Amino acid sequence: MNVYDSARMADVLAPLGYAQADGPEEADMVILNTCHIREKAAEKVYSELGRLRQIREQRAEDNPEDAGPVLAVAGCVAQAEGAEMLARAPFLDIVFGPQTYHRLPEMIVRAERAAKTGAGKKSSKGAGILDTEFPDEAKFDHLPQPRADIAAAGCTAFLTIQEGCDKFCTFCVVPYTRGVEFSRPGEAVLTECRSLVEAGVREVTLLGQNVNAYHGAAPEGGATGTASAAWDLAELITQLAGIDGLERIRYTTSHPRDMDDRLYAVHGSCEKLMPYLHLPAQSGSDRILAAMNRGYTAAEYQASVARLRQVRPDIALSGDFIVGFPGESEADFEATMELVASVNYAQAYSFKYSPRPGTPAALLENQVPDDVRGERLQRLQALLDSQQQAFNQQMVGRRLSLLLDRTGRRPGQLVGRSPYMQAVHLDGPASMLGRMVEVEITDAHANSLAGQLISGVQGPDLQPTAAMAPSEKPIGMEQIV
Ligand code: SAH
Ligand code: SF4
């Protein structure tokens, strides 16, 4: 979602004459968009700020005319730490949260005014502007239409449909930093998706902290197949699937508690909905799941998986796990290993529990020692890795359809995503970027597959863009989490 938010910030800034720069050395403004979900992510912000401050000082030293970039911090660390962040980094100009970035233009005007009056001397004392409110009006009502060249710098795009969370899992900061649950109206999502498709997007990933809790206002006339005035996620997916030129739909992140009959059914009926689902379990121990306030048991989670496989037998599953939640015993951890063994994931993310300030679990006394957390994480990751390897291996010899979304690191190499989210490398001309092709899988590796082109359906020739350049992390879950 931070990737999506950053693109939307660029939309807001474009009319002011800002465009993306290659790096902080040249930029007039640097915005760090931050994540507070685990301590490690939050820590990185301050080390990065130290580096930016040095760049700013160096620029001022090299050229007295150059005051260096305006420095801003956005996102959930900014939301959570606010004034504390300004005290710790007084050279900052702007600190703002995930729900106020539509107000960036006025914050920038204030920062510029402060710089002119000397109230914000850039090298040591910044303008110190803080906006971490949760405004009543939804930011989406104030954001400009996404600029196609920013949002669709490739053939895949993220699209936020839901934000915030009311579930209050005891380990999680999201309800405090992103705010209450909010769904965008169906029509607004359709309009945004249509403009992305016009700009060349073939695959859209619908985003939300609890994306399957989506219940957006239905356009005039109500929903098809339901009499209600709201669209649920199944309805939204069905509507989006009607957009010509959109080939693939994905959504993330789902909460097991919000899987419902209509959503299971759409996995069986909607061809454009890819057979891949990220469904975080967090733990396999009912005792720990209750302490986490997750609202399901391991058996209920397994029942969800069984229903998904019933409607879509080839569905690839992904998940999130936390090891070492306070009070987790060896037996609780073994229950997680058993759940993983029984589900058999195509891939998954696993984390050591990280106590987050202000969350109930951080106050629990029975914290698990770090070495125990680390050792359990290793065991879990070894199991998940072996499942991923086996999943990839069974693709060898199969034919898969790919959306070629970037160039590879070797000259002449292209990379696409399989329906199951695997990165597949193959040789082909750059003119094929943005196309759906058929490949035969020739080899499997731990994190990717190799394939050979069988056929390429006709499609628009896209010029390679920066977003299609080789990357260690092709657009995928890792960027979201
Ligand atoms: N809404 C999603 C998760 C969003 S947060 C859900 O409910 O499943 C993304 C992932 O970060 C979580 O699934 C969890 O595994 C991890 N996470 C969140 N808080 C954490 C914490 N305090 N320590 C370690 N991992 C955490
Ligand atoms: Fe955090 Fe997800 Fe729980 Fe909401 S449902 S509190 S986002 S882990």
Side-chain angles (χ1 to χ4, degrees):
M1 190 170 283
N2 274 8
V3 175
Y4 175 85
D5 285 342
S6 298
R8 301 311 313 268
M9 286 177 211
D11 291 332
V12 172
L13 295 174
L16 307 185
Y18 285 95
Q20 211 156 324
D22 287 335
E25 290 78 10
E26 303 299 320
D28 295 316
M29 173 162 61
V30 178
I31 304 177
L32 292 186
N33 196 3
T34 62
C35 176
H36 202 236
I37 198 83
R38 284 173 295 277
E39 193 177 359
K40 215 163 145 194
E43 267 169 15
K44 281 190 201 156
V45 179
Y46 288 99
S47 56
E48 192 60 21
L49 278 177
R51 198 175 73 90
L52 290 172
R53 184 190 185 175
Q54 273 176 5
I55 290 173
R56 180 151 85 179
E57 283 170 356
Q58 189 62 49
R59 271 171 56 175
E61 217 175 285
D62 294 349
N63 175 5
E65 304 280 285
D66 184 359
V70 171
L71 292 184
V73 181
C76 290
V77 181
Q79 185 67 41
E81 299 192 3
E84 202 184 311
M85 175 174 271
L86 281 176
R88 194 165 156 190
F91 53 89
L92 275 173
D93 296 301
I94 309 176
V95 171
F96 61 104
Q99 303 309 347
T100 52
Y101 61 75
H102 55 296
R103 299 179 183 163
L104 254 176
E106 59 190 80
M107 295 185 230
I108 291 170
V109 169
R110 283 169 57 202
E112 283 170 352
R113 205 180 301 139
K116 270 196 203 120
T117 60
K121 276 223 176 22
K122 298 239 180 83
S123 53
S124 55
K125 176 93 185 74
I129 292 159
L130 180 68
D131 191 350
T132 50
E133 272 182 38
F134 289 109
D136 287 341
E137 83 274 23
K139 76 174 169 244
F140 291 103
D141 294 343
H142 295 266
L143 289 173
Q145 269 301 309
R147 288 210 359 193
D149 57 330
I150 295 171
C155 54
T156 61
F158 292 125
L159 203 177
T160 292
I161 63 167
Q162 181 276 332
E163 248 192 89
C165 181
D166 298 339
K167 291 200 167 57
F168 291 94
C169 299
T170 54
F171 54 80
C172 183
V173 290
V174 168
Y176 312 97
T177 56
R178 286 266 169 188
V180 293
E181 211 176 283
F182 163 83
S183 294
R184 296 179 67 190
E187 194 58 50
V189 176
L190 286 182
T191 305
E192 189 165 327
C193 190
R194 281 190 205 105
S195 74
L196 289 171
V197 171
E198 270 164 33
V201 165
R202 319 293 293 277
E203 172 177 308
V204 74
T205 302
L206 309 175
L207 300 181
Q209 269 81 39
N210 275 295
V211 73
N212 54 340
Y214 176 82
H215 52 280
E220 292 288 296
T224 54
T226 63
S228 76
W231 279 359
D232 57 12
L233 183 59
E235 182 62 30
L236 185 71
I237 290 170
T238 308
Q239 295 283 341
L240 290 167
I243 298 177
D244 275 347
L246 181 66
E247 306 281 353
R248 291 172 153 196
I249 302 170
R250 303 180 189 274
Y251 65 92
T252 200
T253 293
S254 311
H255 197 292
R257 225 158 91 187
D258 292 318
M259 294 302 297
D260 63 21
D261 291 349
R262 287 168 46 82
L263 194 52
Y264 288 119
V266 91
H267 273 280
S269 62
C270 180
E271 266 182 39
K272 291 186 181 179
L273 183 59
M274 290 295 98
Y276 172 92
L277 186 64
H278 184 66
L279 194 64
Q282 312 300 359
S283 170
S285 154
D286 289 346
R287 205 175 67 81
I288 296 295
L289 286 169
M292 287 175 163
N293 191 30
R294 290 292 289 180
Y296 53 83
T297 61
E300 283 162 350
Y301 181 89
Q302 281 165 316
S304 278
V305 169
R307 281 199 69 182
L308 283 161
R309 287 186 167 144
Q310 205 177 12
V311 290
R312 186 74 210 229
D314 66 332
I315 196 161
L317 287 162
S318 160
D320 287 343
F321 291 92
I322 297 178
V323 300
F325 182 84
E328 184 189 75
S329 65
E330 182 60 27
D332 293 319
F333 175 68
E334 281 303 329
T336 300
M337 295 288 276
E338 278 162 29
L339 178 72
V340 171
S342 79
V343 170
N344 202 5
Y345 289 91
Q347 70 113 64
Y349 302 91
S350 45
F351 315 99
K352 273 200 257 183
Y353 167 71
S354 167
R356 307 308 294 125
T359 59
L363 302 174
L364 294 174
E365 272 167 15
N366 44 1
Q367 300 286 327
V368 175
D370 190 56
D371 57 334
V372 177
R373 281 185 274 168
E375 187 268 334
R376 288 181 188 163
L377 186 66
Q378 269 188 12
R379 275 153 68 197
L380 175 60
Q381 288 185 339
L383 177 59
L384 290 168
D385 286 350
S386 71
Q387 293 189 342
Q388 181 171 345
Q389 289 257 14
F391 181 76
N392 284 348
Q393 200 60 47
Q394 69 178 14
M395 297 286 153
V396 176
R398 281 184 57 181
R399 289 181 169 207
L400 296 177
S401 74
L402 296 192
L403 174 58
L404 295 173
D405 61 9
R406 64 188 62 238
T407 50
R409 254 167 283 162
R410 254 197 313 103
Q413 196 180 47
L414 301 177
V415 188
R417 286 269 166 193
S418 79
Y420 311 108
M421 273 300 261
Q422 298 139 302
V424 184
H425 295 81
L426 69 152
D427 290 326
S431 60
M432 294 192 88
L433 278 173
R435 290 196 193 170
M436 299 284 301
V437 295
E438 284 283 309
V439 293
E440 182 172 320
I441 302 303
T442 52
D443 213 349
H445 310 287
N447 295 310
S448 66
L449 302 172
Q452 242 168 23
L453 209 57
I454 299 170
S455 71
V457 297
Q458 285 306 306
D461 282 347
L462 296 183
Q463 287 304 312
T465 62
M468 292 173 165
S471 157
E472 286 298 316
K473 292 183 175 175
I475 288 187
M477 296 301 306
E478 49 279 73
Q479 290 191 353
I480 305 169
V481 179

